[in-house]
């Protein structure tokens, strides 16, 4: 009986997430179609400009992921709820994945347009700092073990680390940089992108956002399993003591 | 097309994207499977210890 009940419960619990999963696949497919077929080739940058359709959404997800770490860390410190700690940890891991992708795809684009894989430009350097902060966050979590003290320390790192995001965003305005200034979201001005390129970029951002939430759910489930294991170990210890 | 240096950079960027995402999903799946196995094993031990 129990064997019959578990799959049904699982199916009901995971159904909305499987919809998000299929939607992500569909939107990623649309993004690939848009990036390679629908969008025109840039006259100056050539076909390497198409890297833009994965570089910008990766950078957007890096921002989103660390913003979620920031909010979840504040809520953890206020409420001391394990739920927010697990959300922060899951999102931090995704933040590192997408910051890595933003750095790597940016480097490949830079090789074509600037003739260099890397320049110590303010935007690139502050993004690298973000990557190092969240790699440090994950290292802290893995070396200090699971305890409320670790969660508190991690929450503080998660909050302080987020300060780098507005610096990254404003770096192209505050300093003279090689990195292009914003051409999509510019206050008081229309986007400087042709409509067909803008449409592909919007689809790509939605697709990557759906991917983020799908991965966040999957990563969060790992943390709940780890919590369950810790609980079972405590119960086993209690049973052994009796 | 293949002579264009931009082509190989574009190819590398999209290949790395899919390898990183695919690799990450694969590791998530493997970690989930390992944890499920551990939960199952601990549940069995607990059942045995309470019988």
């Amino acid at each position: 009986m129990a064997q019959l009940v578990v799959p049904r419960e699982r199916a009901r619990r995971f159904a909305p997430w499987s919809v998000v999963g299929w939607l992500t696949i569909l939107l990623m497919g649309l993004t690939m179609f848009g990036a390679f077929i629908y969008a025109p080739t840039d006259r100056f940058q050539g076909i390497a400009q198409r890297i833009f359709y994965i570089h910008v959404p990766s950078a957007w997800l890096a921002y989103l992921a660390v913003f979620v770490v920031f909010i979840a860390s504040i809520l953890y410190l206020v409420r001391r709820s394990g739920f927010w700690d697990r959300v922060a940890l899951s999102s931090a891991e995704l933040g590192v994945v997408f910051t890595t992708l933003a750095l790597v795809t940016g480097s490949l684009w830079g090789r074509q347009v600037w003739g260099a894989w890397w320049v110590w430009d303010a935007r690139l350097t502050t993004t690298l700092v973000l990557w190092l902060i969240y790699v440090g966050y994950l290292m802290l979590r893995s070396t200090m073990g699971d305890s409320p003290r670790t969660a508190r320390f991690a929450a503080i790192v998660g909050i302080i680390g987020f300060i780098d995001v507005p610096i990254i965003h404003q770096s192209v305005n505050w300093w003279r940089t090689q990195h292009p200034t914003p051409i999509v979201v510019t206050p008081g001005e229309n986007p400087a992108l042709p409509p067909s390129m803008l449409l592909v970029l919007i689809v790509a951002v939605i697709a990557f956002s759906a991917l983020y939430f799908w991965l966040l759910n999957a990563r969060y489930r790992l943390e709940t399993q780890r919590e369950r294991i810790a609980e079972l170990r405590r119960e086993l210890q209690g049973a052994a003591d009796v | 097309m293949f002579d264009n240096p931009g082509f190989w950079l574009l190819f590398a960027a999209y290949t790395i994207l899919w390898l990183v995402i695919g690799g990450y999903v694969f590791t998530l799946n493997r970690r989930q499977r390992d944890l499920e196995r551990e939960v199952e094993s601990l549940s069995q031990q607990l059942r045995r210890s309470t019988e």
Side-chain angles (χ1 to χ4, degrees):
Chain A
M1 184 65 192
Q3 278 180 335
L4 286 173
V5 169
V6 171
R8 265 190 210 159
E9 278 194 353
R10 267 192 194 166
R12 196 181 54 203
R13 201 174 351 138
F14 297 145
W17 288 106
S18 59
V19 171
V20 175
W22 286 111
L23 188 71
T24 303
I25 291 170
L26 177 74
L27 287 167
M28 288 303 267
L30 272 177
T31 301
M32 294 303 118
F33 172 80
F36 287 107
I37 296 163
Y38 179 72
T41 302
D42 187 272
R43 195 184 304 164
F44 302 107
Q45 298 178 25
I47 58 172
Q49 182 273 338
R50 293 175 197 272
I51 293 172
F52 172 81
Y53 304 113
I54 54 173
H55 171 69
V56 174
S58 298
W60 149 247
L61 282 198
Y63 283 5
L64 176 67
V66 298
F67 178 67
V68 170
V69 177
F70 173 69
I71 296 293
S73 299
I74 292 174
L75 288 168
Y76 174 73
L77 290 180
V78 172
R79 297 188 179 170
R80 296 297 156 102
S81 150
F83 169 78
W84 292 114
D85 181 48
R86 290 193 290 272
V87 170
L89 172 58
S90 306
S91 193
E93 196 173 283
L94 291 173
V96 169
V97 170
F98 286 102
T99 308
T100 307
L101 281 173
L103 286 169
V104 171
T105 54
S107 173
L108 290 163
W109 175 84
R111 180 74 184 89
Q112 171 73 7
V113 178
W114 301 333
W117 296 106
W118 181 265
V119 288
W120 291 100
D121 163 281
R123 172 62 69 89
L124 276 70
T125 308
T126 48
T127 306
L128 181 64
V129 168
L130 185 78
W131 185 83
L132 289 169
I133 291 169
Y134 286 91
V135 166
Y137 176 99
L138 295 179
M139 286 169 74
L140 177 95
R141 307 268 337 199
S142 65
T143 52
M144 284 181 69
D146 288 329
S147 70
R149 190 165 155 263
T150 308
R152 277 200 306 278
F153 270 131
I156 292 164
V157 174
I159 292 165
I160 294 172
F162 183 73
I163 294 170
D164 193 35
V165 171
I167 298 173
I168 296 172
H169 193 70
Q170 287 300 323
S171 60
V172 289
N173 299 322
W174 290 344
W175 295 287
R176 191 182 298 169
T177 61
Q178 270 187 269
H179 192 282
T181 50
I183 54 168
V184 183
V185 183
T186 44
E189 287 175 37
N190 287 328
L193 269 182
S196 53
M197 287 184 173
L198 184 63
L199 179 65
V200 176
L201 182 65
I202 290 169
V203 172
V205 167
I206 295 170
F208 273 65
S209 302
L211 175 69
Y212 166 78
F213 286 109
W214 185 74
L215 288 174
L216 182 67
N217 174 60
R219 181 63 186 81
Y220 178 83
R221 278 197 346 242
L222 284 189
E223 287 307 307
T224 53
Q225 287 280 42
R226 288 180 58 212
E227 192 71 25
R228 175 86 186 112
I229 287 169
E231 229 172 71
L232 284 170
R233 286 209 171 116
R234 280 194 295 272
E235 280 178 36
L236 256 177
Q237 188 64 44
D241 290 344
V242 170
Chain B
M1 186 181 180
F2 297 107
D3 296 338
N4 185 340
F7 170 80
W8 293 108
L9 294 167
L10 182 69
F11 178 78
Y14 279 79
T15 305
I16 290 167
L17 172 86
W18 288 112
L19 283 178
V20 168
I21 292 173
Y24 187 65
V25 170
F26 176 78
T27 58
L28 281 182
N29 201 27
R30 204 187 54 196
R31 281 148 88 187
Q32 179 75 27
R33 220 177 35 229
D34 291 348
L35 290 173
E36 272 172 9
R37 229 176 268 151
E38 200 174 341
V39 166
E40 186 55 39
S41 152
L42 287 169
S43 300
Q44 277 177 7
Q45 281 181 49
L46 192 65
R47 269 199 298 275
R48 274 201 300 270
S49 68
T50 51
E51 274 167 11

